[in-house]
mmCIF file of all heavy atoms in Angstrom:
data_model
loop_
_atom_site.group_PDB
_atom_site.id
_atom_site.type_symbol
_atom_site.label_atom_id
_atom_site.label_comp_id
_atom_site.label_asym_id
_atom_site.label_seq_id
_atom_site.Cartn_x
_atom_site.Cartn_y
_atom_site.Cartn_z
ATOM 1 N N VAL L 9 221.176 107.138 245.650
ATOM 2 C CA VAL L 9 222.476 106.509 245.876
ATOM 3 C C VAL L 9 222.312 105.011 245.684
ATOM 4 O O VAL L 9 221.432 104.397 246.297
ATOM 5 C CB VAL L 9 222.996 106.797 247.302
ATOM 6 C CG1 VAL L 9 224.306 106.065 247.553
ATOM 7 C CG2 VAL L 9 223.148 108.288 247.529
ATOM 8 N N LEU L 10 223.132 104.455 244.843
ATOM 9 C CA LEU L 10 223.099 103.012 244.616
ATOM 10 C C LEU L 10 224.204 102.374 245.443
ATOM 11 O O LEU L 10 225.394 102.580 245.181
ATOM 12 C CB LEU L 10 223.295 102.680 243.134
ATOM 13 C CG LEU L 10 223.390 101.196 242.796
ATOM 14 C CD1 LEU L 10 222.090 100.478 243.181
ATOM 15 C CD2 LEU L 10 223.693 100.997 241.325
ATOM 16 N N ALA L 11 223.818 101.647 246.469
ATOM 17 C CA ALA L 11 224.783 100.914 247.288
ATOM 18 C C ALA L 11 225.226 99.683 246.499
ATOM 19 O O ALA L 11 224.397 98.908 246.019
ATOM 20 C CB ALA L 11 224.147 100.499 248.602
ATOM 21 N N ILE L 12 226.527 99.546 246.353
ATOM 22 C CA ILE L 12 227.053 98.396 245.613
ATOM 23 C C ILE L 12 227.169 97.219 246.577
ATOM 24 O O ILE L 12 228.184 97.005 247.222
ATOM 25 C CB ILE L 12 228.417 98.720 244.950
ATOM 26 C CG1 ILE L 12 228.312 99.960 244.070
ATOM 27 C CG2 ILE L 12 228.917 97.518 244.145
ATOM 28 C CD1 ILE L 12 227.328 99.832 242.911
ATOM 29 N N THR L 13 226.083 96.480 246.663
ATOM 30 C CA THR L 13 226.048 95.293 247.512
ATOM 31 C C THR L 13 226.704 94.139 246.760
ATOM 32 O O THR L 13 227.020 94.240 245.567
ATOM 33 C CB THR L 13 224.599 94.923 247.854
ATOM 34 O OG1 THR L 13 223.915 94.595 246.632
ATOM 35 C CG2 THR L 13 223.877 96.070 248.558
ATOM 36 N N GLU L 14 226.872 93.055 247.457
ATOM 37 C CA GLU L 14 227.473 91.874 246.824
ATOM 38 C C GLU L 14 226.632 91.412 245.631
ATOM 39 O O GLU L 14 227.170 91.058 244.577
ATOM 40 C CB GLU L 14 227.610 90.748 247.850
ATOM 41 C CG GLU L 14 228.417 89.575 247.343
ATOM 42 C CD GLU L 14 228.695 88.549 248.430
ATOM 43 O OE1 GLU L 14 228.804 88.933 249.611
ATOM 44 O OE2 GLU L 14 228.798 87.366 248.075
ATOM 45 N N GLU L 15 225.313 91.445 245.781
ATOM 46 C CA GLU L 15 224.426 91.006 244.692
ATOM 47 C C GLU L 15 224.527 91.945 243.488
ATOM 48 O O GLU L 15 224.554 91.490 242.340
ATOM 49 C CB GLU L 15 222.988 90.935 245.202
ATOM 50 C CG GLU L 15 222.067 90.162 244.283
ATOM 51 C CD GLU L 15 220.678 89.965 244.889
ATOM 52 O OE1 GLU L 15 220.429 90.399 246.030
ATOM 53 O OE2 GLU L 15 219.839 89.382 244.187
ATOM 54 N N ILE L 16 224.610 93.240 243.737
ATOM 55 C CA ILE L 16 224.764 94.213 242.643
ATOM 56 C C ILE L 16 226.121 94.003 241.969
ATOM 57 O O ILE L 16 226.229 93.985 240.739
ATOM 58 C CB ILE L 16 224.630 95.662 243.164
ATOM 59 C CG1 ILE L 16 223.217 95.940 243.678
ATOM 60 C CG2 ILE L 16 225.047 96.676 242.104
ATOM 61 C CD1 ILE L 16 222.166 96.109 242.609
ATOM 62 N N ARG L 17 227.162 93.852 242.787
ATOM 63 C CA ARG L 17 228.507 93.653 242.242
ATOM 64 C C ARG L 17 228.556 92.401 241.367
ATOM 65 O O ARG L 17 229.107 92.423 240.267
ATOM 66 C CB ARG L 17 229.522 93.555 243.383
ATOM 67 C CG ARG L 17 230.958 93.430 242.916
ATOM 68 C CD ARG L 17 232.013 93.422 244.022
ATOM 69 N NE ARG L 17 231.595 92.887 245.296
ATOM 70 C CZ ARG L 17 231.382 93.613 246.397
ATOM 71 N NH1 ARG L 17 231.558 94.917 246.368
ATOM 72 N NH2 ARG L 17 231.008 93.040 247.528
ATOM 73 N N ASP L 18 227.935 91.316 241.843
ATOM 74 C CA ASP L 18 227.903 90.083 241.053
ATOM 75 C C ASP L 18 227.179 90.305 239.728
ATOM 76 O O ASP L 18 227.608 89.803 238.685
ATOM 77 C CB ASP L 18 227.219 88.956 241.826
ATOM 78 C CG ASP L 18 228.041 88.457 242.999
ATOM 79 O OD1 ASP L 18 229.250 88.786 243.071
ATOM 80 O OD2 ASP L 18 227.476 87.744 243.856
ATOM 81 N N GLY L 19 226.083 91.067 239.767
ATOM 82 C CA GLY L 19 225.348 91.362 238.541
ATOM 83 C C GLY L 19 226.165 92.182 237.557
ATOM 84 O O GLY L 19 226.118 91.948 236.346
ATOM 85 N N ILE L 20 226.928 93.129 238.074
ATOM 86 C CA ILE L 20 227.798 93.944 237.210
ATOM 87 C C ILE L 20 228.861 93.072 236.576
ATOM 88 O O ILE L 20 229.111 93.146 235.367
ATOM 89 C CB ILE L 20 228.438 95.098 238.018
ATOM 90 C CG1 ILE L 20 227.367 96.092 238.451
ATOM 91 C CG2 ILE L 20 229.544 95.781 237.213
ATOM 92 C CD1 ILE L 20 227.837 97.124 239.473
ATOM 93 N N VAL L 21 229.494 92.216 237.380
ATOM 94 C CA VAL L 21 230.551 91.326 236.872
ATOM 95 C C VAL L 21 229.996 90.389 235.805
ATOM 96 O O VAL L 21 230.648 90.120 234.791
ATOM 97 C CB VAL L 21 231.196 90.528 238.029
ATOM 98 C CG1 VAL L 21 232.105 89.431 237.513
ATOM 99 C CG2 VAL L 21 231.960 91.466 238.957
ATOM 100 N N LYS L 22 228.755 89.923 235.992
ATOM 101 C CA LYS L 22 228.124 89.021 235.022
ATOM 102 C C LYS L 22 227.646 89.763 233.776
ATOM 103 O O LYS L 22 227.226 89.141 232.806
ATOM 104 C CB LYS L 22 226.945 88.300 235.661
ATOM 105 C CG LYS L 22 227.336 87.292 236.708
ATOM 106 C CD LYS L 22 226.100 86.674 237.348
ATOM 107 C CE LYS L 22 226.487 85.740 238.466
ATOM 108 N NZ LYS L 22 225.327 85.221 239.199
ATOM 109 N N GLY L 23 227.674 91.091 233.811
ATOM 110 C CA GLY L 23 227.231 91.873 232.663
ATOM 111 C C GLY L 23 225.722 91.945 232.525
ATOM 112 O O GLY L 23 225.206 92.080 231.404
ATOM 113 N N LEU L 24 225.000 91.880 233.643
ATOM 114 C CA LEU L 24 223.544 91.967 233.574
ATOM 115 C C LEU L 24 223.118 93.309 232.992
ATOM 116 O O LEU L 24 223.785 94.326 233.207
ATOM 117 C CB LEU L 24 222.929 91.823 234.971
ATOM 118 C CG LEU L 24 223.030 90.470 235.653
ATOM 119 C CD1 LEU L 24 222.362 90.532 237.027
ATOM 120 C CD2 LEU L 24 222.388 89.383 234.818
ATOM 121 N N PRO L 25 222.015 93.330 232.260
ATOM 122 C CA PRO L 25 221.485 94.590 231.735
ATOM 123 C C PRO L 25 221.117 95.539 232.879
ATOM 124 O O PRO L 25 220.792 95.101 233.988
ATOM 125 C CB PRO L 25 220.236 94.177 230.962
ATOM 126 C CG PRO L 25 220.341 92.704 230.763
ATOM 127 C CD PRO L 25 221.205 92.173 231.863
ATOM 128 N N ALA L 26 221.139 96.829 232.596
ATOM 129 C CA ALA L 26 220.827 97.847 233.601
ATOM 130 C C ALA L 26 219.453 97.619 234.233
ATOM 131 O O ALA L 26 219.270 97.819 235.439
ATOM 132 C CB ALA L 26 220.911 99.234 232.981
ATOM 133 N N ALA L 27 218.489 97.193 233.431
ATOM 134 C CA ALA L 27 217.137 96.952 233.954
ATOM 135 C C ALA L 27 217.149 95.851 235.019
ATOM 136 O O ALA L 27 216.431 95.945 236.022
ATOM 137 C CB ALA L 27 216.183 96.581 232.824
ATOM 138 N N ASP L 28 217.949 94.835 234.824
ATOM 139 C CA ASP L 28 218.053 93.757 235.814
ATOM 140 C C ASP L 28 218.735 94.256 237.085
ATOM 141 O O ASP L 28 218.323 93.919 238.195
ATOM 142 C CB ASP L 28 218.818 92.563 235.241
ATOM 143 C CG ASP L 28 218.063 91.840 234.137
ATOM 144 O OD1 ASP L 28 216.876 92.165 233.912
ATOM 145 O OD2 ASP L 28 218.658 90.960 233.491
ATOM 146 N N LEU L 29 219.782 95.060 236.919
ATOM 147 C CA LEU L 29 220.472 95.619 238.084
ATOM 148 C C LEU L 29 219.523 96.532 238.871
ATOM 149 O O LEU L 29 219.518 96.522 240.109
ATOM 150 C CB LEU L 29 221.712 96.398 237.655
ATOM 151 C CG LEU L 29 222.836 95.565 237.039
ATOM 152 C CD1 LEU L 29 223.927 96.478 236.480
ATOM 153 C CD2 LEU L 29 223.415 94.593 238.060
ATOM 154 N N LEU L 30 218.711 97.293 238.157
ATOM 155 C CA LEU L 30 217.740 98.161 238.809
ATOM 156 C C LEU L 30 216.726 97.335 239.600
ATOM 157 O O LEU L 30 216.365 97.691 240.726
ATOM 158 C CB LEU L 30 217.023 99.039 237.778
ATOM 159 C CG LEU L 30 215.969 99.998 238.327
ATOM 160 C CD1 LEU L 30 216.579 100.962 239.331
ATOM 161 C CD2 LEU L 30 215.309 100.758 237.194
ATOM 162 N N GLY L 31 216.295 96.233 239.032
ATOM 163 C CA GLY L 31 215.366 95.344 239.736
ATOM 164 C C GLY L 31 215.949 94.813 241.029
ATOM 165 O O GLY L 31 215.272 94.774 242.064
ATOM 166 N N ILE L 32 217.218 94.437 240.996
ATOM 167 C CA ILE L 32 217.899 93.958 242.200
ATOM 168 C C ILE L 32 217.967 95.087 243.230
ATOM 169 O O ILE L 32 217.669 94.897 244.406
ATOM 170 C CB ILE L 32 219.318 93.450 241.859
ATOM 171 C CG1 ILE L 32 219.254 92.205 240.973
ATOM 172 C CG2 ILE L 32 220.113 93.162 243.137
ATOM 173 C CD1 ILE L 32 220.597 91.807 240.349
ATOM 174 N N ALA L 33 218.355 96.263 242.769
ATOM 175 C CA ALA L 33 218.495 97.414 243.666
ATOM 176 C C ALA L 33 217.161 97.771 244.316
ATOM 177 O O ALA L 33 217.105 98.051 245.513
ATOM 178 C CB ALA L 33 219.050 98.610 242.898
ATOM 179 N N GLU L 34 216.081 97.750 243.538
ATOM 180 C CA GLU L 34 214.757 98.079 244.081
ATOM 181 C C GLU L 34 214.343 97.092 245.164
ATOM 182 O O GLU L 34 213.751 97.482 246.169
ATOM 183 C CB GLU L 34 213.728 98.132 242.955
ATOM 184 C CG GLU L 34 213.876 99.367 242.085
ATOM 185 C CD GLU L 34 212.983 99.355 240.854
ATOM 186 O OE1 GLU L 34 212.493 98.271 240.461
ATOM 187 O OE2 GLU L 34 212.780 100.441 240.283
ATOM 188 N N LYS L 35 214.669 95.827 244.979
ATOM 189 C CA LYS L 35 214.358 94.819 246.003
ATOM 190 C C LYS L 35 215.130 95.092 247.286
ATOM 191 O O LYS L 35 214.708 94.688 248.366
ATOM 192 C CB LYS L 35 214.687 93.418 245.487
ATOM 193 C CG LYS L 35 213.719 92.910 244.444
ATOM 194 C CD LYS L 35 214.132 91.550 243.938
ATOM 195 C CE LYS L 35 213.251 91.129 242.778
ATOM 196 N NZ LYS L 35 213.739 89.907 242.137
ATOM 197 N N GLN L 36 216.264 95.777 247.170
ATOM 198 C CA GLN L 36 217.102 96.082 248.330
ATOM 199 C C GLN L 36 216.788 97.459 248.917
ATOM 200 O O GLN L 36 217.504 97.934 249.786
ATOM 201 C CB GLN L 36 218.575 95.990 247.945
ATOM 202 C CG GLN L 36 218.979 94.593 247.532
ATOM 203 C CD GLN L 36 220.416 94.502 247.053
ATOM 204 O OE1 GLN L 36 221.116 95.494 246.892
ATOM 205 N NE2 GLN L 36 220.870 93.281 246.815
ATOM 206 N N GLY L 37 215.729 98.104 248.420
ATOM 207 C CA GLY L 37 215.312 99.377 248.996
ATOM 208 C C GLY L 37 215.815 100.618 248.294
ATOM 209 O O GLY L 37 215.687 101.724 248.817
ATOM 210 N N TYR L 38 216.359 100.470 247.102
ATOM 211 C CA TYR L 38 216.850 101.606 246.322
ATOM 212 C C TYR L 38 215.718 102.598 246.063
ATOM 213 O O TYR L 38 214.611 102.210 245.705
ATOM 214 C CB TYR L 38 217.407 101.090 244.995
ATOM 215 C CG TYR L 38 217.782 102.132 243.987
ATOM 216 C CD1 TYR L 38 218.916 102.906 244.159
ATOM 217 C CD2 TYR L 38 217.024 102.329 242.844
ATOM 218 C CE1 TYR L 38 219.284 103.854 243.221
ATOM 219 C CE2 TYR L 38 217.374 103.275 241.900
ATOM 220 C CZ TYR L 38 218.510 104.034 242.100
ATOM 221 O OH TYR L 38 218.865 104.973 241.166
ATOM 222 N N ILE L 39 215.989 103.879 246.284
ATOM 223 C CA ILE L 39 215.011 104.941 246.060
ATOM 224 C C ILE L 39 215.546 105.874 244.988
ATOM 225 O O ILE L 39 216.675 106.368 245.087
ATOM 226 C CB ILE L 39 214.752 105.730 247.363
ATOM 227 C CG1 ILE L 39 214.153 104.801 248.410
ATOM 228 C CG2 ILE L 39 213.847 106.920 247.115
ATOM 229 C CD1 ILE L 39 214.027 105.431 249.774
ATOM 230 N N THR L 40 214.756 106.107 243.952
ATOM 231 C CA THR L 40 215.187 107.004 242.875
ATOM 232 C C THR L 40 215.155 108.459 243.348
ATOM 233 O O THR L 40 214.539 108.787 244.369
ATOM 234 C CB THR L 40 214.273 106.886 241.640
ATOM 235 O OG1 THR L 40 212.979 107.395 241.993
ATOM 236 C CG2 THR L 40 214.178 105.456 241.137
ATOM 237 N N MET L 41 215.789 109.315 242.591
ATOM 238 C CA MET L 41 215.810 110.731 242.915
ATOM 239 C C MET L 41 214.390 111.306 242.933
ATOM 240 O O MET L 41 214.040 112.104 243.810
ATOM 241 C CB MET L 41 216.677 111.470 241.885
ATOM 242 C CG MET L 41 217.083 112.825 242.266
ATOM 243 S SD MET L 41 218.375 113.317 241.105
ATOM 244 C CE MET L 41 218.720 114.923 241.711
ATOM 245 N N LYS L 42 213.576 110.882 241.998
ATOM 246 C CA LYS L 42 212.189 111.345 241.936
ATOM 247 C C LYS L 42 211.412 110.902 243.174
ATOM 248 O O LYS L 42 210.668 111.675 243.770
ATOM 249 C CB LYS L 42 211.533 110.804 240.656
ATOM 250 C CG LYS L 42 210.196 111.381 240.347
ATOM 251 C CD LYS L 42 209.727 110.851 238.989
ATOM 252 C CE LYS L 42 208.504 111.562 238.493
ATOM 253 N NZ LYS L 42 208.084 111.073 237.176
ATOM 254 N N GLU L 43 211.594 109.651 243.572
ATOM 255 C CA GLU L 43 210.923 109.144 244.772
ATOM 256 C C GLU L 43 211.392 109.894 246.017
ATOM 257 O O GLU L 43 210.592 110.223 246.894
ATOM 258 C CB GLU L 43 211.182 107.644 244.933
ATOM 259 C CG GLU L 43 210.507 106.793 243.882
ATOM 260 C CD GLU L 43 211.004 105.356 243.855
ATOM 261 O OE1 GLU L 43 212.144 105.089 244.273
ATOM 262 O OE2 GLU L 43 210.234 104.504 243.394
ATOM 263 N N ASP L 44 212.698 110.197 246.090
ATOM 264 C CA ASP L 44 213.240 110.942 247.220
ATOM 265 C C ASP L 44 212.617 112.331 247.291
ATOM 266 O O ASP L 44 212.267 112.810 248.376
ATOM 267 C CB ASP L 44 214.766 111.034 247.107
ATOM 268 C CG ASP L 44 215.406 111.620 248.354
ATOM 269 O OD1 ASP L 44 215.022 111.223 249.470
ATOM 270 O OD2 ASP L 44 216.305 112.474 248.211
ATOM 271 N N ALA L 45 212.451 112.969 246.140
ATOM 272 C CA ALA L 45 211.831 114.296 246.094
ATOM 273 C C ALA L 45 210.392 114.228 246.604
ATOM 274 O O ALA L 45 209.974 115.069 247.413
ATOM 275 C CB ALA L 45 211.868 114.850 244.673
ATOM 276 N N VAL L 46 209.646 113.237 246.174
ATOM 277 C CA VAL L 46 208.248 113.089 246.614
ATOM 278 C C VAL L 46 208.192 112.869 248.129
ATOM 279 O O VAL L 46 207.372 113.479 248.822
ATOM 280 C CB VAL L 46 207.551 111.930 245.862
ATOM 281 C CG1 VAL L 46 206.212 111.591 246.492
ATOM 282 C CG2 VAL L 46 207.383 112.278 244.390
ATOM 283 N N LEU L 47 209.066 112.035 248.647
ATOM 284 C CA LEU L 47 209.090 111.784 250.092
ATOM 285 C C LEU L 47 209.396 113.057 250.874
ATOM 286 O O LEU L 47 208.820 113.300 251.935
ATOM 287 C CB LEU L 47 210.117 110.693 250.419
ATOM 288 C CG LEU L 47 209.771 109.289 249.944
ATOM 289 C CD1 LEU L 47 210.953 108.349 250.144
ATOM 290 C CD2 LEU L 47 208.540 108.760 250.657
ATOM 291 N N LYS L 48 210.281 113.895 250.341
ATOM 292 C CA LYS L 48 210.637 115.139 251.033
ATOM 293 C C LYS L 48 209.533 116.178 250.932
ATOM 294 O O LYS L 48 209.337 116.966 251.858
ATOM 295 C CB LYS L 48 211.971 115.654 250.513
ATOM 296 C CG LYS L 48 213.083 114.760 251.052
ATOM 297 C CD LYS L 48 214.457 115.154 250.655
ATOM 298 C CE LYS L 48 215.430 114.222 251.379
ATOM 299 N NZ LYS L 48 216.632 113.986 250.678
ATOM 300 N N VAL L 49 208.767 116.151 249.858
ATOM 301 C CA VAL L 49 207.594 117.032 249.758
ATOM 302 C C VAL L 49 206.555 116.588 250.785
ATOM 303 O O VAL L 49 206.006 117.409 251.522
ATOM 304 C CB VAL L 49 207.005 117.021 248.329
ATOM 305 C CG1 VAL L 49 205.627 117.670 248.300
ATOM 306 C CG2 VAL L 49 207.947 117.725 247.357
#
């Protein structure tokens, strides 16, 4: 789940590339589906 924080929203409005948005999200604790699966295992 990607929480649309103010920083993410600003990045979207500025047209940042997806890789940059992902970097911001990861700094905020974003967990990918694969990582979630590993944690549940």
Side-chain angles (χ1 to χ4, degrees):
V9 176
L10 175 62
I12 305 299
T13 63
E14 189 173 329
E15 195 173 359
I16 294 286
R17 183 176 29 252
D18 290 346
I20 293 169
V21 170
K22 291 177 184 174
L24 292 180
D28 292 352
L29 293 172
L30 180 59
I32 294 168
E34 287 173 342
K35 287 178 187 172
Q36 296 176 353
Y38 172 73
I39 297 173
T40 67
M41 195 167 180
K42 190 175 190 178
E43 291 167 335
D44 188 45
V46 169
L47 291 172
K48 287 181 175 150
V49 167

